[in-house]
């Protein structure tokens, strides 16, 4: 199979997590940049990356990379890309997104328009057609300009990969599935340890943890744009990848995963989402305030996204909320807590300075991932 380069965008600051995932899938990393990881693979890698990667936002098939400081240069370099290699005569093609940082060309709409014209010119000369029906499969193009270097990719995913298909309902300020998965991966949690989210909202953290524990591939229950690319990827290849995912899953794994929220309606939503994800039997969800957080066993993990006054509630209520959270945590013997929040006084009211914290952008909101480490459990004797 022909080797290609694939680009996987991700949350800024979480490139190392995605890099490890790609390595674990068996692919070679080409380059790691802010917010994306480029790796090498074949067409099977397109299927496997879309179905198995938990922390990538989408998978782009890299079509070209070049320097462009004028629109004429952008046109000519885009026309040099062998589009006929990727797009059939009846393919629907357009530049779905253009982004520019520190580059002379900065108008997304102009970049999109000029690149489309260049692609049409290339296709005309190859297919000897003056007009294209564009009634076939979709080939959306994405371009990113950074310091005048343009990276061009064809989007194999379509809808962002954070949309696993299970979260049809959400709470007011949900965390994305890809971000939740990446944050869990930043902790030492494993399926044999207790996992609790006391501000679970629509259930994203517990559901992602349960899917990891059961080894359920995140893309098993959704479709991808590249599934219609019969000219490049056979239906058989997609089917074989799906079969691989099914064989690797272990939905009967024994775990202790819990989610609480003070809002009973939100818990109802979380239950429905867990049901749709196929992990309802692995998660205990309950309406409960954070002040009632307790567990008889040691060495558990809290991973959570508590309110931070952006949309959920007024800032005035936050000091007491974080204070109660800290008090409940201190009563848990030898536990670890990990929380992502944009609330600047989180540590102060939680009552403890984090052992580590990591700046992460949740959308456009600057947040910190605070890590309060508990001791490791003693090794069990064989």
């Amino acid at each position: 199979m022909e080797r290609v380069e694939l680009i996987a965008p991700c949350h800024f600051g979480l490139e190392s997590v995605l890099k490890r995932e790609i390595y674990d899938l068996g692919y070679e990393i080409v380059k790691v940049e802010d917010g994306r990881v480029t790796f090498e693979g074949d067409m099977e890698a397109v299927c496997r990356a879309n179905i198995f990667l938990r922390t990538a936002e989408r998978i782009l098939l890299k079509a070209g990379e070049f320097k462009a400081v004028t629109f004429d240069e952008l046109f000519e370099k885009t026309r040099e890309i062998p589009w006929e290699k990727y797009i059939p005569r009846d393919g629907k093609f357009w530049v779905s997104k253009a982004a520019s940082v520190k580059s002379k060309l900065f108008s997304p709409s102009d970049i999109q328009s000029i690149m489309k014209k260049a692609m049409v010119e290339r296709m005309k000369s190859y297919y000897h057609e003056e007009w294209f029906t564009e009634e076939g499969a979709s080939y959306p193009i994405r371009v990113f300009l950074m310091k005048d270097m343009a990276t061009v990719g064809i989007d194999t995913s379509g809808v962002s990969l954070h949309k696993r298909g299970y979260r049809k309902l959400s709470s007011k300020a949900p965390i994305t599935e890809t971000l939740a998965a990446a944050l869990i991966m930043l902790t030492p949690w494993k399926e044999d340890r207790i996992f609790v989210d006391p501000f679970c909202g629509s259930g994203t953290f517990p559901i992602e943890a349960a899917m990891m524990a059961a080894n359920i591939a995140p893309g098993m229950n959704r479709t991808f744009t590249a599934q219609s690319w019969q000219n490049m990827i056979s239906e058989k290849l997609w089917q074989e990848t799906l079969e691989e995912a099914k064989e690797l899953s272990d939905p009967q794994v024994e775990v202790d995963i819990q989610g609480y929220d003070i809002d009973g309606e939100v818990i109802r939503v979380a239950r429905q989402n867990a049901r749709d994800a196929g992990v309802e039997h692995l998660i205990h969800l309950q309406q409960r305030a954070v002040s009632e957080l307790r567990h008889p066993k040691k060495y558990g993990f809290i991973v959570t996204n508590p309110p931070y006054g952006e949309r959920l509630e007024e800032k005035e209520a936050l000091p007491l909320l974080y204070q109660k959270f800290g008090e409940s945590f201190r009563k848990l013997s030898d536990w670890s807590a990990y929380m992502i929040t944009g609330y600047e006084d989180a540590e102060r009211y939680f009552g403890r300075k984090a052992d580590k914290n990591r700046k992460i952008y949740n959308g456009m909101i600057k947040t910190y991932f605070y890590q309060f480490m508990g001791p490791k459990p003693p090794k069990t004797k064989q």
Side-chain angles (χ1 to χ4, degrees):
M1 258 189 220
E2 185 190 350
R3 306 295 288 174
V4 293
E5 281 192 13
L6 300 170
I7 304 165
C10 65
H11 277 273
F12 279 93
L14 296 172
E15 299 84 2
S16 61
V17 183
L18 175 56
K19 180 183 170 184
R20 190 168 72 238
E21 267 205 287
I22 292 167
Y23 268 136
D24 289 347
L25 265 188
Y27 301 113
E28 191 178 319
I29 306 292
V30 174
K31 192 163 44 174
V32 179
E33 301 162 278
D34 285 346
R36 58 183 173 159
V37 179
T38 303
F39 63 102
E40 197 178 70
D42 50 20
M43 287 304 161
E44 184 186 51
V46 173
C47 307
R48 295 185 76 236
N50 273 297
I51 288 173
F52 285 106
L53 290 179
R54 298 183 191 278
T55 63
E57 293 300 311
R58 61 183 66 250
I59 303 299
L60 306 175
L61 172 59
K62 187 175 174 180
E65 192 168 42
F66 53 80
K67 186 174 183 179
V69 295
T70 67
F71 283 120
D72 282 345
E73 210 171 5
L74 179 69
F75 181 91
E76 292 302 330
K77 296 281 177 67
T78 302
R79 188 167 62 173
E80 286 173 14
I81 294 172
W83 293 108
E84 66 280 356
K85 190 172 145 186
Y86 309 109
I87 305 169
R89 189 188 297 264
D90 67 344
K92 181 182 178 183
F93 58 98
W94 73 103
V95 183
S96 61
K97 185 168 183 184
S100 177
V101 178
K102 297 177 183 174
S103 299
K104 292 178 181 66
L105 304 180
F106 57 83
S107 164
S109 57
D110 288 338
I111 292 166
Q112 287 169 295
S113 171
I114 284 160
M115 288 185 71
K116 168 75 179 191
K117 285 174 186 169
M119 291 171 71
V120 169
E121 288 305 310
R122 173 79 190 203
M123 302 275 280
K124 274 183 183 178
S125 64
Y126 182 82
Y127 288 114
H128 307 292
E129 299 272 2
E130 280 302 307
W131 186 75
F132 296 96
T133 61
E134 298 197 42
E135 292 172 342
S138 293
Y139 297 80
I141 313 301
R142 288 181 165 238
V143 59
F144 176 64
L145 279 94
M146 177 66 164
K147 294 181 180 176
D148 300 321
M149 284 299 298
T151 304
V152 184
I154 311 171
D155 183 8
T156 73
S157 305
V159 175
S160 173
L161 294 181
H162 81 263
K163 297 199 173 176
R164 319 286 205 213
Y166 68 74
R167 202 171 74 179
K168 298 173 186 75
L169 304 164
S170 68
S171 52
K172 290 179 188 173
I175 193 165
T176 66
E177 294 88 326
T178 44
L179 179 54
L183 295 177
I184 295 168
M185 288 181 187
L186 280 176
T187 77
W189 177 78
K190 293 286 181 282
E191 62 270 15
D192 60 345
R193 305 277 290 275
I194 302 149
F195 183 103
V196 177
D197 180 357
F199 302 99
C200 75
S202 52
T204 311
F205 270 128
I207 291 169
E208 289 295 318
M211 287 176 74
M212 284 181 203
N215 209 17
I216 295 170
M220 273 176 71
N221 298 309
R222 54 159 286 169
T223 57
F224 309 96
T225 297
Q227 281 178 274
S228 61
W229 296 359
Q230 298 293 325
N231 60 318
M232 283 194 278
I233 309 173
S234 69
E235 195 176 324
K236 182 170 176 276
L237 210 50
W238 285 104
Q239 203 52 48
E240 283 172 357
T241 308
L242 207 53
E243 286 304 317
E244 179 192 359
K246 285 176 184 171
E247 283 172 20
L248 290 171
S249 68
D250 178 18
Q252 301 312 314
V253 65
E254 287 189 16
V255 288
D256 185 348
I257 297 173
Q258 304 178 26
Y260 308 127
D261 203 281
I262 198 166
D263 186 336
E265 181 58 27
V266 159
I267 288 294
R268 187 193 67 78
V269 166
R271 282 202 185 104
Q272 184 58 54
N273 290 341
R275 200 170 298 132
D276 291 341
V279 293
E280 186 190 21
H281 63 296
L282 299 176
I283 306 171
H284 173 68
L285 293 160
Q286 188 179 21
Q287 182 179 0
R288 189 191 287 192
V290 71
S291 56
E292 296 170 37
L293 172 61
R294 58 181 69 89
H295 200 288
K297 292 183 181 175
K298 291 184 169 191
Y299 309 114
F301 280 80
I302 294 169
V303 184
T304 192
N305 174 35
Y308 39 92
E310 285 295 330
R311 285 173 288 171
L312 271 177
E313 51 190 87
E314 295 301 316
K315 289 254 195 248
E316 292 77 37
L318 297 180
L320 185 60
L321 185 77
Y322 280 80
Q323 189 182 324
K324 286 180 177 176
F325 181 20
E327 287 168 359
S328 294
F329 174 62
R330 283 188 288 280
K331 291 174 189 170
L332 294 165
S333 180
D334 297 328
W335 278 48
S336 300
Y338 298 80
M339 67 169 156
I340 180 171
T341 178
Y343 183 43
E344 292 176 1
D345 289 325
E347 288 173 298
R348 178 183 165 196
Y349 290 108
F350 189 72
R352 176 177 160 183
K353 187 165 175 57
D355 298 298
K356 285 185 185 176
N357 78 54
R358 192 176 184 129
K359 184 163 68 174
I360 291 164
Y361 279 88
N362 185 5
M364 298 305 291
I365 303 166
K366 183 172 74 174
T367 61
Y368 288 90
F369 189 48
Y370 294 103
Q371 303 167 53
F372 305 91
M373 320 285 206
K376 290 179 181 177
K379 286 185 179 177
T380 51
K381 290 178 182 176
Q382 295 297 321

